[in-house]
Amino acid sequence: AASASASASASQDSLQAFYVNFSEITLGEKVGHGSYGVVCKAIWRNQLVAVKEFFASAEQKDIEKEVKQLSRVKHPNIIALHGISSYQQATYLIMEYAEGGSLHNFLHGKVKPVYSLAHAMSWARQCAEGVAYLHGMTPKPLIHRDLKPLNLLLTNKGRNLKICDFGTVADKSTMMTNNRGSAAWMAPEVFEGSKYTEKCDIFSWAIVLWEVLSRKQPFKDIDNAYTIQWKIYKGERPPLLDNCPKHIEQLMTACWKTAPEDRPSMQYIVGVMNEIIKDYV
Ligand code: ADE
């Protein structure tokens, strides 16, 4: 199992501490999937964990890049990485398990969800806290690039939110153009393949905020990723909500501006959210 990193540089040696023998993992039922592979429930060292299996086609160096970043991340609003393992051609990431499933499934599942505005604002705030942490990492900010409710997991009876699944695929934009994918949450500069900064996460966060407030899926009636992004590029956004308090609407529309430099920082958003939320408890 150690062979993949045997030739690694000194900085990658710290990864060694994360390597786990595959025999320690007891895989259970499948709980999710993506273009990279599948996620299974599993038992590892007497705890329930989520194990993400990368298809053999995934580039080992891309996986190691993700693991290297993830191994430094420790925050209550981000799914923790416990270890990495490999077996035959596949690579496995051992992660904290979130029993509440994704925010997407909660919002748009078979049962119509019941939740308050305070709840919606709390999810958005927790998402902002996690992303602000990533953006504040040194020496370089970590950019999620694929924030959307499918990548936001719930714990503690839906009260806590944890971000998962970032940096997994080297070229996300190519995989996303194949279908609807993440187009509705993606900042125009990312979809275009232009140079982008952490401001792309601010755009996605605004769409997530709209989604938890509206309880609707953005651009739901359009199934073509290019059509969605063409509309976004042209300045179209999800419709403003009748019952939305003006200061929340102001924050949302500032965050989904077309020019990345016109969007506020995540640290600023956290500050504003903490102020706004006082009115809803
Ligand atoms: N699906 C994807 N990642 C997961 C996790 N960490 N816990 C539960 N379900 C997941």
Side-chain angles (χ1 to χ4, degrees):
S3 64
S5 52
S7 61
S9 67
S11 67
Q12 282 178 322
D13 284 347
S14 59
L15 270 188
Q16 285 298 342
F18 272 82
Y19 272 90
V20 165
N21 198 307
F22 187 69
S23 64
E24 286 186 27
I25 305 168
T26 308
L27 289 175
E29 64 177 306
K30 186 173 135 182
V31 293
H33 59 90
S35 56
Y36 50 81
V38 297
V39 180
C40 292
K41 212 169 171 172
I43 302 285
W44 172 70
R45 297 187 187 170
N46 291 322
Q47 61 182 326
L48 196 55
V49 292
V51 170
K52 184 162 155 186
E53 175 185 348
F54 289 90
F55 294 137
S57 60
E59 288 287 334
Q60 186 66 30
K61 63 178 191 313
D62 292 338
I63 297 170
E64 294 218 341
K65 211 169 108 192
E66 172 178 14
V67 171
K68 218 166 107 182
Q69 294 178 327
L70 276 176
S71 64
R72 293 168 49 221
V73 169
K74 273 192 180 55
H75 190 274
N77 299 118
I78 300 173
I79 289 285
L81 177 74
H82 295 315
I84 178 172
S85 188
S86 56
Y87 181 67
Q88 294 180 342
Q89 299 302 310
T91 302
Y92 299 83
L93 295 192
I94 306 168
M95 297 175 298
E96 177 183 3
Y97 185 73
E99 77 288 350
S102 73
L103 179 61
H104 172 88
N105 286 352
F106 181 83
L107 293 175
H108 312 301
K110 287 203 183 75
V111 198
K112 203 170 147 56
V114 178
Y115 64 90
S116 63
L117 180 57
H119 237 100
M121 294 300 281
S122 171
W123 287 323
R125 185 192 61 78
Q126 293 181 62
C127 179
E129 297 265 11
V131 178
Y133 168 87
L134 294 175
H135 290 181
M137 288 188 74
T138 51
K140 269 199 306 197
L142 254 175
I143 306 174
H144 188 290
R145 296 192 300 179
D146 197 15
L147 282 181
K148 55 179 178 179
L150 208 51
N151 287 337
L152 303 174
L153 303 181
L154 301 174
T155 64
N156 192 18
K157 297 188 167 43
R159 281 190 283 268
N160 294 0
L161 177 146
K162 290 171 186 265
I163 301 167
C164 75
D165 208 12
F166 56 105
T168 311
V169 177
D171 186 8
K172 287 193 174 205
S173 56
T174 45
M175 104 197 186
M176 281 162 190
T177 47
N178 297 330
N179 53 34
R180 199 174 181 286
S182 306
W185 297 267
M186 200 185 283
E189 70 272 16
V190 177
F191 201 87
E192 277 173 12
S194 308
K195 210 165 130 44
Y196 59 86
T197 65
E198 64 267 33
K199 290 293 177 75
C200 68
D201 288 340
I202 313 299
F203 183 98
S204 308
W205 181 85
I207 306 290
V208 170
L209 176 62
W210 180 88
E211 192 166 345
V212 295
L213 293 174
S214 68
R215 308 172 187 226
K216 296 193 173 98
Q217 300 187 56
F219 301 101
K220 186 179 191 290
D221 48 337
I222 307 167
D223 62 4
N224 182 289
Y226 289 104
T227 310
I228 294 172
Q229 276 289 321
W230 177 248
K231 283 172 177 283
I232 291 173
Y233 172 75
K234 287 291 193 184
E236 193 172 323
R237 299 291 184 269
L240 297 181
L241 307 164
D242 292 337
N243 51 357
C244 186
K246 280 295 161 229
H247 51 310
I248 299 175
E249 182 179 292
Q250 262 170 18
L251 180 64
M252 189 164 72
T253 54
C255 291
W256 69 31
K257 288 197 170 152
T258 300
E261 63 274 17
D262 291 344
R263 302 172 203 148
S265 73
M266 204 42 108
Q267 202 54 58
Y268 172 84
I269 293 168
V270 167
V272 174
M273 288 301 284
N274 280 328
E275 281 306 308
I276 292 177
I277 265 174
K278 287 179 188 162
D279 301 338
Y280 296 100
V281 287

